[in-house]
Amino acid sequence: TPVEGCAGIIQDVAVGSNGRVFLAVQRGTGLHLVSTDSKGGDAFCVDDQAGLASLEFDYAGKLHLAFEKNHGIEYRQFQTDAPTLKTVRTERAAGAFGYAPVLLAHAGKIFLGYLGESCRPADLDMEFWTGKPWHRRNGLGGYIAVLVLDGDRWRRFALADSQQFAKPIWPKTE
């Protein structure tokens, strides 16, 4: 493994200005933060039911984390100047049907980009609808959005938006 003693799938890596490296590691359905200066890959469990994740350090040295959770995007902010992580902020940044978060710190702001509604990759979408094919929609709509954290408030911007153009009508059978 890239980090000795650390098992799991690396979701993202972030390097702080002090050189401290953090990894977002998926272990089963759990998401963990691991510092490479930890002995034996000590991990901080962020959530036991998480999907894709993104990490970013800002200029003040805070570690930002966004991850998929229950078809939405969760956000966490950590102070990393102590030997152990301290959670500073925790919230659900994006509601229903948010996927694939990406964080970027720039000019004192945090940018959180994500896919919304039905922008899921086709193979994942097919797995989701296999059990109930009658719920499958034609011409799935979706959007690409960016949330900007400026101070304590998120502002949302839709970068691209696509609407559903048809919905199948199923005849009643009796």
Side-chain angles (χ1 to χ4, degrees):
T1 62
V3 179
E4 191 170 331
C6 178
I9 299 169
I10 296 175
Q11 294 279 336
D12 202 359
V13 177
V15 181
S17 59
N18 62 359
R20 196 167 179 198
V21 178
F22 281 89
L23 297 90
V25 177
Q26 181 181 1
R27 294 179 179 166
T29 61
L31 178 63
H32 302 265
L33 288 179
V34 178
S35 173
T36 56
D37 61 1
S38 300
K39 302 292 184 268
D42 292 338
F44 173 80
C45 183
V46 176
D47 198 285
D48 59 357
Q49 294 290 319
L52 296 176
S54 178
L55 285 174
E56 180 74 334
F57 270 103
D58 64 18
Y59 297 114
K62 290 182 184 161
L63 179 65
H64 302 265
L65 169 69
F67 61 94
E68 296 175 353
K69 169 91 175 175
N70 294 333
H71 300 290
I73 306 294
E74 293 284 325
Y75 170 80
R76 304 284 186 272
Q77 188 181 102
F78 301 95
Q79 197 67 42
T80 62
D81 53 3
T84 58
L85 286 175
K86 178 183 176 191
T87 305
V88 177
R89 183 177 181 149
T90 177
E91 64 185 298
R92 188 165 180 88
F97 305 108
Y99 306 99
V102 176
L103 285 170
L104 174 70
H106 179 71
K109 297 179 177 127
I110 299 297
F111 296 82
L112 168 55
Y114 65 96
L115 302 177
E117 282 291 323
S118 299
C119 286
R120 279 200 102 115
D123 57 340
L124 294 174
D125 188 55
M126 288 308 295
E127 285 179 30
F128 181 74
W129 294 108
T130 300
K132 298 180 180 179
W134 55 88
H135 288 166
R136 175 86 170 126
R137 300 186 300 170
N138 292 331
L140 298 173
Y143 59 89
I144 300 172
V146 171
L147 297 173
V148 180
L149 181 60
D150 189 5
D152 288 334
R153 190 175 75 105
W154 289 102
R155 291 182 298 140
R156 183 180 183 275
F157 299 92
L159 303 181
D161 196 1
S162 153
Q163 299 298 317
Q164 174 182 332
F165 64 86
K167 186 163 186 146
I169 300 174
W170 298 95
K172 291 184 179 181
T173 57
E174 294 182 15

